[in-house]
Amino acid sequence: MPLDATDRALIALLRENARIGHAEAARRLALSRTTVQARVESLERRGIIVGYTVRLAEEVSRRMVRAHVTIVVAPKASASVVAALQRMQELRALHSVAGVFDLLAVVEAEDVPSLDTAIDRIGAIEGVERTQSSIILSTKFER
């Protein structure tokens, strides 16, 4: 079943604040609380919403150092590299990408030396042929 306008509006609210109560979401969307509850349950059951997350306060987030790390993986090593990267707590996201690189990792650490160590650990994974890192200086917006 495809998403309708109400589902998309509800998902947008949950992206802003995943802890929004059903009553508040209903008020904002001009729906009943039971309708919102049923829609959320349906989105979860259908696998559209697969989890909820924590966003850090801006002051905490500003103290963290983040980088995008592009990764070239040896042929047939993708599954083992992804499994090794998934075990790294410093990784916030891992994307498969088209182009010169195979993967794009978002890495976060408390300071530059810790970030450097994490990037070195990525490069040392069996099957990783090459990495390139770009430290994120600031985030203009994030959704």
Side-chain angles (χ1 to χ4, degrees):
M1 179 185 294
L3 297 177
D4 63 16
T6 303
D7 288 333
R8 287 190 297 277
L10 179 56
I11 289 168
L13 277 179
L14 291 170
R15 280 185 167 154
E16 287 177 27
N17 178 5
R19 292 187 53 153
I20 190 170
H22 292 154
E24 177 62 20
R27 186 185 65 72
R28 289 192 193 180
L29 297 173
L31 299 170
S32 73
R33 185 196 57 75
T34 56
T35 298
V36 167
Q37 182 175 353
R39 292 243 181 187
V40 168
E41 289 171 358
S42 172
L43 291 167
E44 290 172 343
R45 199 173 40 257
R46 291 167 33 205
I48 294 166
I49 295 176
V50 295
Y52 299 88
T53 189
V54 172
R55 287 189 343 207
L56 297 176
E58 192 173 318
E59 73 179 53
V60 174
S61 185
R62 273 195 310 254
R63 290 190 301 243
M64 303 298 279
V65 182
R66 294 188 302 167
H68 287 169
V69 179
T70 50
I71 305 165
V72 175
V73 179
K76 300 182 181 180
S78 184
S80 63
V81 169
V82 169
L85 291 169
Q86 192 169 17
R87 289 189 295 271
M88 291 184 62
Q89 293 299 310
E90 298 89 350
L91 262 71
R92 294 293 166 253
L94 182 64
H95 308 280
S96 175
V97 295
V100 177
F101 296 95
D102 301 304
L103 300 170
L104 170 69
V106 179
V107 183
E108 184 177 72
E110 290 188 21
D111 52 35
V112 172
S114 299
L115 181 66
D116 187 39
T117 299
I119 293 169
D120 286 346
R121 286 179 35 225
I122 291 170
I125 293 171
E126 181 76 29
V128 170
E129 292 185 343
R130 187 174 78 248
T131 65
Q132 182 175 333
S133 305
S134 297
I135 293 177
I136 298 170
L137 299 176
S138 70
T139 300
K140 302 303 182 188
F141 72 86
E142 191 169 60
R143 294 190 175 132

